[in-house]
Amino acid sequence: MTPLNILVASLLLIVPSGVVRSADVTRIIGGQFAAPGQFPHQVSLQLNGRHHCGGSLISDSMIVTAAHCTKGQNPAQMRAVVGTSDLSSGTGQTHNIAQFIIHPQYNAQTQDFDMSLIRLSTPVSMGGSVQSIELAPADANYAADTLATISGFGAINDNLQLPNRLKFAQVQLWSRDYCNAQNIPGVTDRMICAGHPSGQVSACQGDSGGPLTVDGKLFGVVSWGFGCGAKGRPAMYTYVGALRSWIKQNANV
């Protein structure tokens, strides 16, 4: 089990079996390119000038991402880019980061409590292609096979070619009847499963920390998985509802 660091596998993706390794080549293959302004909450977290992880804007000064995206990193070396679906277009806003707030119970071995808040040095200018996303409530739950949306930036081939354009895809939520520690080792109550039982649609490496949304609300955060598109192996997302009170306490959202 290792964190994911770029998003979206689909029918077009053939991958080796086994656990995803963070040093592997990362890619977004399949899905669709997003239209400008389609995901106004989407954040590109950039480390030393390169896309590093995804995130979601939840207020004018706070971002939700995965803890493994910020653990061991220096806020001074990371920037947050908001308000663009094309990182090469010169549009959007770039903001310095004042603080990482990593969940105190985050476990880097198990990826439990894989959530971090990022406080920006200056508020973003809200409006148009920059909007915060509403958080799913603490008791949010959905029936199995409910469609959710994942989105992110990332490389598309073994040469690490970056399209710089935002992609998205739809995945199915998995029931707790299957998404539990008995069937999937490592799953906890802070995690939700999404993908396709056949493995044809699932999150893949990269864009960790990016959003999984249902009904326009942030329901999950891209966390970890077993390979890309492996049959019977969904991708794992940190469950926002389970950590809702911690977000409220630390972000006042």
Side-chain angles (χ1 to χ4, degrees):
M1 181 202 327
T2 54
L4 298 172
N5 271 349
I6 285 180
L7 185 61
V8 185
S10 79
L11 296 173
L12 304 179
L13 179 59
I14 300 173
V15 297
S17 61
V19 177
V20 172
R21 302 296 178 187
S22 57
D24 287 350
V25 172
T26 54
R27 55 175 69 79
I28 293 180
I29 299 178
Q32 303 174 61
F33 286 113
Q38 186 174 357
F39 297 95
H41 55 275
Q42 181 77 44
V43 179
S44 168
L45 297 174
Q46 303 201 345
L47 186 63
N48 297 320
R50 288 181 59 85
H51 177 77
H52 172 64
C53 274
S56 300
L57 192 66
I58 61 170
S59 76
D60 65 357
S61 60
M62 298 296 295
I63 292 166
V64 168
T65 188
H68 74 261
C69 289
T70 59
K71 186 75 172 179
Q73 302 295 342
N74 181 350
Q77 294 179 324
M78 195 178 291
R79 304 286 185 271
V81 179
V82 300
T84 184
S85 60
D86 185 345
L87 297 176
S88 65
S89 67
T91 60
Q93 305 173 35
T94 301
H95 290 263
N96 292 334
I97 291 170
Q99 183 185 16
F100 296 147
I101 306 172
I102 298 172
H103 197 287
Q105 292 175 267
Y106 170 60
N107 185 315
Q109 281 69 51
T110 66
Q111 299 306 316
D112 202 6
F113 294 93
D114 188 15
M115 183 174 284
S116 181
L117 295 170
I118 293 178
R119 189 184 308 279
L120 299 175
S121 297
T122 55
V124 303
S125 298
M126 301 289 262
S129 60
V130 180
Q131 304 284 347
S132 60
I133 188 169
E134 184 178 349
L135 297 166
D139 60 354
N141 202 0
Y142 295 92
D145 300 330
T146 297
L147 287 180
T149 302
I150 49 179
S151 55
F153 297 95
I156 58 172
N157 57 34
D158 291 348
N159 296 321
L160 295 181
Q161 178 186 354
L162 293 170
N164 290 310
R165 293 174 62 190
L166 184 63
K167 278 192 151 184
F168 72 99
Q170 289 190 314
V171 293
Q172 295 168 269
L173 300 181
W174 288 34
S175 167
R176 284 293 183 193
D177 292 340
Y178 186 85
C179 181
N180 56 52
Q182 286 69 45
N183 291 318
I184 304 176
V187 170
T188 74
D189 291 342
R190 273 73 56 190
M191 301 172 189
I192 52 178
C193 304
H196 191 280
S198 69
Q200 291 179 329
V201 180
S202 175
C204 190
Q205 293 161 263
D207 277 347
S208 293
L212 176 140
T213 65
V214 182
D215 295 335
K217 297 180 177 64
L218 185 65
F219 186 62
V221 172
V222 181
S223 181
W224 63 274
F226 298 90
C228 300
K231 186 175 181 179
R233 295 290 191 181
M236 304 299 159
Y237 300 80
T238 305
Y239 175 32
V240 169
L243 303 181
R244 186 67 185 86
S245 61
W246 178 79
I247 297 173
K248 175 67 174 178
Q249 179 182 357
N250 289 276
N252 196 32
V253 174

